[in-house]
Amino acid sequence: MPKGHPTKIMNIPFVDLAQQQQRIRTDLDRRIGRVLDHGAYINGPEVAELEGKLAAFAGCRHAIGVSSGTDALLAALMAKGIGRGDAVFLPSFTFTATAEVVLQCGATPVFVEVDAATFNLEPNHLREAIAHTAKMGQLRPAAIIAVDLFGQPADYQAINDLASEQGLFVLADGAQSFGASYHNRKVGGLAEVTATSFYPAKPLGCYGDGGAIFTDDDELAAACVSLRDHGQGEGRYDIVRLGLNARLDTMQAAVLLSKLTIFEDEIRLRRLVAQRYTEGLSDLVETPVQMHDTNSIWAQYTIKLPNRDAVAESLRQQGIPTQIYYPLPMHLQPAYAQHGGGMGSLPVSEQLSREVLALPMHPYLDEAATDTICGALRNAIRTS
Ligand SMILES: Cc1ncc(COP(=O)(O)O)c(C=O)c1O
């Protein structure tokens, strides 16, 4: 134990899916049982039912279920025809999937600096990166992937304005932000196309891999529906484009339909947890900043600490799990380094990677648990 006042060790999970399951177990059993009864494991009725509900929730015309958030991003880029010779601008401080899909479709990633307060794409740096790429003349500026990191939407007004001025496609990586809103619009309707993830730990998660694509554009939606199913045309063996095997399983759709019934309440609970953390910690550490007229879904509650590793170790010794999202920005990852400017080129992203620490976050983290975590953090900072 570190020095200072010892904190009582509690069993606090980083994410608690068990409590959620208890709440909906009867409904889950009923819905999964129905899939077992009808046996349509691929493209079963639950998929279309879920897509209708997701589109209504997000307030957009189309929601297309796919096999993961990564495939949602890839299919969206493919549907738009992004490929060789195209530059795709994305934040360096993100999960690897955002960069991976750009290279998978043959395009080139251009890593852009983020805003230190919001962790999201910084519009002035974005403008500079687009201008620089255009001036170099080797790549055609084609698309922007804006990531809603930790559940807070990026600055879509600035990003969409810049994109329409420059004729670029905007893909929102809303893998962490489904359920959040920006300027009174929900994630799903903030960019030309949005991709989200239903990975189990996400705010809306299934019991395996899953994802969805959102758009108001009928043609892009039709292309994504074709793409997720091997590039099918009118008939099953009529292949009109290079596609993917990227469908959402019926079982996962059934799970998501059940979880959707409590999602609004879970959003409310997540916001309460975040509020309690901020009240308990703002005199102690740099707590997350929310932009004006933006409502995060708090996929993560991420603080910044100059001596992050020592504090994380002290918390671990006190029984408090934490995570580091992300320990290395994408422009420094070995797989992508050739497309980046090396160490020192994106100092904010690099510093965030050294300082960020995500605290336990889920809707069922009660007051006693948040108090314990805040107390343990106070203790850790005093003694680290
Ligand atoms: C920002 C971001 N983009 C994309 C993804 C990929 O989602 P999935 O794991 O469902 O493929 C994730 C998931 O962790 C993510 O956090």
Side-chain angles (χ1 to χ4, degrees), residues 27 42 52 69 73 90 119 122 164 184 188 208 212 241 306 325 357 364:
D27 185 61
I42 301 289
L73 290 167
L90 69 150
F119 311 109
E122 204 287 309
S164 56
N184 290 322
R241 55 169 62 78
Y325 303 120
L357 189 68
Y364 306 100

Side-chain angles (χ1 to χ4, degrees), residues 68-70 73 94-95 97-98 147 149 173 175-176 197-199 202 209-210 326:
S68 68
T70 307
L73 290 167
T94 182
F95 181 62
T98 322
V147 180
L149 210 68
D173 181 344
Q176 302 181 8
S197 164
F198 301 131
Y199 183 82
K202 296 289 191 249
D209 278 309
Y326 296 95

Side-chain angles (χ1 to χ4, degrees), residues 323-367:
Q323 295 285 343
I324 296 170
Y325 303 120
Y326 296 95
L328 196 64
M330 292 306 121
H331 69 285
L332 300 181
Q333 286 287 359
Y336 312 132
Q338 69 183 107
H339 304 289
M343 182 69 88
S345 61
L346 299 176
V348 175
S349 298
E350 292 163 24
Q351 187 169 351
L352 288 174
S353 290
R354 291 190 294 268
E355 295 190 347
V356 286
L357 189 68
L359 301 180
M361 170 50 88
H362 59 82
Y364 306 100
L365 203 61
D366 61 19
E367 207 165 338

